[in-house]
């Protein structure tokens, strides 16, 4: 056996494995730097007025109250619209249309929508709602976000339904339950944790979405609860403030970014906890 | 339990009449379910239709020459898509050049080298990277990465290549910090987790006997990865890369912050530029004139079309893989 050749191959292997460790450190390094900057900058600007005051004029004290409330409201609209549609469509894919042609097409298009550019969804709702209504509105913003919620809920619902053992359905059918009873009382119940996980992930996904809101809900300097008019949201406010030349607005933008990231992380961790608890 | 249920049934009326869901509600439920599925279909075609409708004035005014005209003049209402298309492609290319090797490297680390106790935390950390909203990458890129690149990356690179023929054009100009290059780097960080997640899953699906056989023949770790694992997992890895590419092409906010929004084609990677999504995000609400907004929607239509093709191809590859895995088990 050629010893030097074997040594060379070993060295080569060590080098490439070293590179893969370096790649991991590189990837984790970015995460560390982003979270570090976010915590440092975000907390240094965070105080009570962030939660109690609305968007200030440039170079004045203020907060993000209007944006926080707007975001909550529009996320709520999006979930209220998107969940039933997504749940039922996912149920179709997982229960009725597993092998059918409609099921195949819907599954394929849904997976594309899952990763489709969100700015295009904003343009879609602009044409479909803002132009027909004649003005920007929080309704339109909520619907634009719902177009993102639906594919996420469809995908997670179908995935979890496919994991439910068929014997459960067969047992219910043998007792005389109709198809809708089987789905509502048996499979949905068995899939509950997975469905909730999907919903939490969908909320995490939309709470930071900016692009679909730019031309649907627009922005609003003032506190507003009127869903028929333009409404501020955290992501759009961050965008506007970060791109401005004012240091006060930059500080608020960082605080807003910290709030969004915290919300997203808490949602994903909760989703993970729900998922792992159901696995036990 | 079973005995009891049987006895009860035997002594009472036929089950169907007592069940809260009879044939009628079965049908309604199924109809709601089908129409929801159709709603997804309608949403997809609706996006297409709305984009074509919104872009129609621009489509009829410029036609296909929109694709190869490099002009963007709101005053004379003349528009062409070359600069945004160029910016979109180049930023995505930079992103893939960085993210593909790093993403696969992390996947190799996670499946082969990582101590089992670290596997879960690192996997979660990579998934966190995927969960961070794009606007966070944007603000971080603008306030942290861009100044860093401006100070420590661009000047030495520009100096180093100032006398090398081709490279001096690629890395030229004043170091703004923002621009095509910085946008590409941000995109790379954003799509990295997609490549890693998919690659890791397909690497884990490689049958251990294949690897054991290769080790038995005396192969080194790298040889096993390169000659056994990667070829076996190729379809999935390519699918993951396409998925990431689809994301990179359409990503808006992270890019909009750091691209500089200059509607022109520059040979230098350090120059400000624009992408399709950044142009739309920056200009759509201010678009006045008969053709400005339609031209932006036309850009959106092109973007949607391209991403649908890329994501469709990715989906097709991943489905085929699933089918293979399903057929084997």
């Amino acid at each position: 056996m050629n010893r030097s050749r074997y040594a060379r191959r070993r060295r080569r292997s060590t080098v490439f494995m070293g590179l893969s460790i370096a790649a991991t450190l590189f990837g984790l390094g970015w995460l560390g730097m982003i979270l570090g900057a976010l915590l440092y900058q975000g907390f240094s600007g965070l105080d009570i007025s962030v939660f109690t005051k609305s968007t200030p004029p440039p170079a004045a004290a203020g907060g993000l109250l209007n944006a926080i409330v707007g975001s909550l409201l529009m996320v709520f609209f999006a979930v209220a619209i998107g969940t039933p549609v997504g749940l039922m469509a996912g149920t179709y894919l997982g229960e009725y249309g597993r092998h059918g042609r409609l099921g195949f097409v819907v599954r394929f298009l849904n997976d594309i929508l899952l990763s489709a550019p969100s700015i295009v969804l904003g343009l879609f709702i602009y044409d479909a709602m803002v132009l027909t209504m004649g003005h920007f509105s929080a309704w339109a913003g909520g619907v634009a976000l719902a177009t993102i919620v639906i594919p996420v809920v469809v995908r997670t619902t179908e995935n979890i339904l496919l994991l439910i053992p068929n014997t459960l359905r067969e047992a219910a059918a043998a007792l005389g339950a109709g198809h809708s009873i089987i789905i509502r009382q048996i499979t949905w119940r068995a899939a509950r944790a997975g469905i909730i996980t999907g919903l939490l992930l969908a909320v995490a996904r939309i709470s930071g979405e900016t692009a679909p809101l730019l031309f649907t809900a627009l922005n609003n300097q003032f506190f507003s609860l009127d869903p028929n008019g333009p409404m501020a949201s955290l992501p759009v406010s961050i965008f506007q403030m970060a791109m401005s030349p004012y240091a006060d607005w930059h500080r608020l933008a960082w605080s807003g970014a910290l709030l969004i990231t915290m919300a997203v992380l808490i949602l994903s961790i909760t989703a993970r906890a729900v998922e792992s608890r159901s696995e036990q | 339990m079973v005995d009891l249920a049987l006895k009860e049934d035997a002594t009472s009326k036929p089950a169907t009449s007592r069940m809260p869901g009879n044939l009628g509600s079965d049908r309604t439920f199924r109809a709601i379910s089908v129409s929801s599925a159709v709603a997804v279909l309608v949403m997809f075609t609706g996006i297409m239709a709305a984009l074509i409708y919104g872009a129609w004035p621009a489509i009829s005014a410029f036609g296909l020459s929109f694709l190869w005209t490099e002009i963007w003049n709101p005053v004379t209402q003349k528009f062409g898509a070359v600069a945004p298309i160029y910016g979109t492609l180049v930023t995505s290319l930079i992103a893939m050049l960085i993210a593909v090797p790093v993403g696969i490297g992390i996947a190799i680390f996670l499946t082969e080298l990582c101590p089992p106790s670290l596997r879960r935390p690192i996997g979660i950390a990579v998934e966190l990277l995927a969960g961070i909203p794009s606007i966070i990458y944007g603000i971080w890129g603008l306030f942290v990465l861009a100044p860093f690149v401006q100070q420590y990356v661009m000047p030495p690179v520009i100096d180093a290549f100032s006398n090398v023929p081709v490279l001096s054009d690629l890395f030229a100009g004043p170091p703004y910090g923002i621009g095509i290059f910085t946008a590409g780097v941000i995109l790379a960080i954003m799509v990295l987790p997609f490549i890693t997640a998919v690659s890791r899953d397909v690497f884990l699906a490689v049958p251990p006997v294949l690897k054991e056989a290769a080790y038995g023949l005396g192969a080194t770790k790298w040889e096993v990865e390169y000659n056994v694992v990667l070829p076996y997992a190729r379809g999935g890895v390519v699918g993951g890369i396409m998925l990431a590419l689809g994301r990179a092409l359409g990503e808006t906010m992270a890019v909009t912050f750091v691209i500089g929004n200059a509607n022109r084609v520059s040979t230098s990677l350090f120059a400000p530029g624009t992408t399709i999504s950044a142009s739309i995000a920056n200009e759509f609400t201010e678009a006045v004139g008969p053709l400005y907004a339609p031209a932006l929607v036309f850009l959106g239509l092109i973007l949607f079309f391209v991403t649908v093709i890329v994501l469709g191809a990715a989906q097709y590859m991943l489905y085929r893989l699933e089918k293979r895995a399903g057929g084997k088990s």
Side-chain angles (χ1 to χ4, degrees):
Chain A
M1 185 160 146
N2 191 331
R3 237 167 230 287
S4 78
R5 189 163 164 184
Y6 187 58
R8 200 165 67 233
R9 286 170 50 203
R10 288 276 297 269
R11 264 204 309 281
R12 199 175 147 83
S13 179
T14 314
V15 167
F16 277 103
M17 290 302 133
L19 282 179
S20 88
I21 294 175
T24 309
L25 293 177
F26 182 77
L28 293 180
W30 290 116
L31 182 67
M33 281 191 288
I34 293 175
L35 287 183
L38 204 57
L39 290 176
Y40 175 73
Q41 301 274 11
F43 272 119
S44 65
L46 201 63
D47 56 30
I48 191 73
S49 66
V50 168
F51 301 100
T52 55
K53 290 185 178 147
S54 290
T55 314
L64 296 165
L65 176 67
N66 55 339
I68 294 171
V69 171
S71 267
L72 288 177
L73 216 57
M74 283 190 280
V75 167
F76 176 75
F77 289 160
V79 171
I81 301 165
T83 310
V85 179
L87 181 62
M88 291 308 287
T91 302
Y92 176 81
L93 293 182
E95 298 283 343
Y96 295 108
R98 275 194 194 184
H99 307 290
R101 183 163 295 176
L102 176 67
F104 177 80
V105 173
V106 170
R107 190 174 297 120
F108 190 77
L109 294 185
N110 186 72
D111 280 352
I112 288 179
L113 285 176
L114 203 57
S115 305
S118 56
I119 189 134
V120 170
L121 300 172
L123 285 177
F124 165 53
I125 298 301
Y126 177 84
D127 275 341
M129 281 183 79
V130 176
L131 281 186
T132 47
M133 291 167 76
H135 54 84
F136 298 102
S137 67
W139 291 128
V143 174
L145 291 180
T147 58
I148 297 170
V149 171
I150 291 173
V152 178
V153 175
V154 170
R155 171 95 330 271
T156 47
T157 304
E158 190 203 354
N159 280 352
I160 191 79
L161 288 180
L162 291 181
L163 291 181
I164 306 297
N166 257 335
T167 45
L168 271 183
R169 301 186 180 97
E170 285 157 8
L175 290 175
H179 212 153
S180 65
I181 298 292
I182 297 176
I183 292 171
R184 277 182 296 174
Q185 308 278 349
I186 309 293
T187 52
W188 274 2
R189 212 171 266 193
R192 192 168 50 198
I195 293 172
I196 293 174
T197 304
L199 210 59
L200 290 171
L201 290 178
V203 174
R205 173 88 193 275
I206 58 171
S207 50
E209 276 292 347
T210 320
L213 294 176
L214 286 174
F215 352 106
T216 50
L218 206 66
N219 199 352
N220 194 339
Q221 303 285 91
F222 305 104
F223 184 86
S224 159
L225 287 174
D226 174 21
N228 226 350
M231 192 178 277
S233 61
L234 265 180
V236 177
S237 295
I238 293 173
F239 179 48
Q240 188 200 8
M241 290 173 171
M243 297 300 259
S244 79
Y246 314 112
D248 288 328
W249 276 21
H250 290 174
R251 230 182 356 263
L252 272 182
W254 276 111
S255 303
L258 179 68
L259 292 180
I260 290 189
T261 313
M262 285 301 185
V264 169
L265 291 187
I266 289 171
L267 283 166
S268 342
I269 290 167
T270 316
R272 204 174 280 281
V274 170
E275 199 175 21
S276 66
R277 214 179 53 184
S278 75
E279 272 166 14
Q280 282 164 8
Chain B
M1 276 305 278
V2 175
D3 276 344
L4 194 73
L6 280 176
K7 253 179 234 158
E8 227 178 14
D9 252 346
T11 53
S12 62
K13 282 180 270 179
T16 40
S17 65
R18 261 193 320 127
M19 278 292 183
N22 53 25
L23 223 57
S25 89
D26 266 359
R27 246 181 235 140
T28 332
F29 189 80
R30 194 196 157 103
I32 298 173
S33 178
V34 173
S35 46
S36 298
V38 171
V40 175
L41 215 89
V42 170
M43 199 166 103
F44 190 87
T45 41
I47 294 172
M48 272 292 189
L51 289 176
I52 293 175
Y53 169 78
W56 192 250
I59 296 175
S60 53
F62 305 122
L64 275 181
S65 72
F66 188 69
L67 292 176
W68 52 82
T69 313
E70 193 203 340
I71 185 169
W72 195 262
N73 194 335
V75 179
T76 58
Q77 294 285 309
K78 293 263 180 286
F79 300 100
V82 168
I85 290 178
Y86 170 84
T88 304
L89 294 180
V90 174
T91 48
S92 298
L93 181 72
I94 295 173
M96 299 322 278
L97 285 179
I98 300 173
V100 168
V102 175
I104 295 178
I106 297 178
I108 291 177
F109 175 80
L110 283 176
T111 51
E112 294 299 323
L113 300 175
C114 186
S117 58
L118 278 181
R119 199 171 282 176
R120 211 174 132 76
I122 294 182
I124 291 177
V126 171
E127 278 161 34
L128 283 187
L129 210 52
I132 295 178
S134 62
I135 187 149
I136 308 298
Y137 286 96
I139 188 172
W140 183 79
L142 179 68
F143 290 129
V144 181
L145 183 65
F148 177 83
V149 168
Q150 182 176 27
Q151 223 170 354
Y152 300 106
V153 179
M154 286 185 173
V157 172
I158 292 172
D159 286 346
F161 293 129
S162 60
N163 294 321
V164 188
V166 179
L167 294 177
S168 67
D169 288 331
L170 269 184
F171 302 104
Y176 291 115
I178 52 177
I180 300 261
F181 172 79
T182 313
V185 173
I186 289 273
L187 277 182
I189 308 170
M190 285 201 64
V191 299
L192 189 64
F194 296 101
I195 298 177
T196 297
V198 177
S199 305
R200 181 192 57 188
D201 292 348
V202 287
F203 287 176
L204 285 176
V206 175
V209 280
L210 284 184
K211 291 196 277 185
E212 283 156 13
Y215 281 125
L217 290 173
T220 62
K221 249 193 174 127
W222 168 248
E223 284 161 352
V224 171
E225 283 301 313
Y226 190 77
N227 298 315
V228 178
V229 174
L230 272 178
Y232 189 91
R234 194 175 48 209
V237 172
V238 173
I241 291 172
M242 302 279 271
L243 205 63
L245 178 63
R247 289 275 177 155
L249 289 170
E251 174 48 44
T252 310
M253 294 326 287
V255 174
T256 306
F257 274 94
V258 294
I259 191 95
N261 199 35
N263 212 305
R264 59 168 180 267
V265 176
S266 316
T267 47
S268 172
L269 297 179
F270 287 170
T274 190
T275 66
I276 292 180
S277 48
S279 285
I280 301 173
N282 269 317
E283 300 173 32
F284 191 74
T285 44
E286 297 153 13
V288 286
L291 291 178
Y292 197 175
L296 288 168
V297 180
F298 198 177
L299 282 180
L301 181 65
I302 296 169
L303 176 66
F304 189 61
F305 195 71
V306 172
T307 47
V308 164
I309 290 175
V310 171
L311 294 171
Q315 242 34 273
Y316 173 74
M317 282 170 162
L318 294 174
Y319 282 161
R320 220 175 44 176
L321 206 75
E322 248 167 52
K323 223 178 217 171
R324 192 176 73 178
K328 284 216 169 136
S329 66

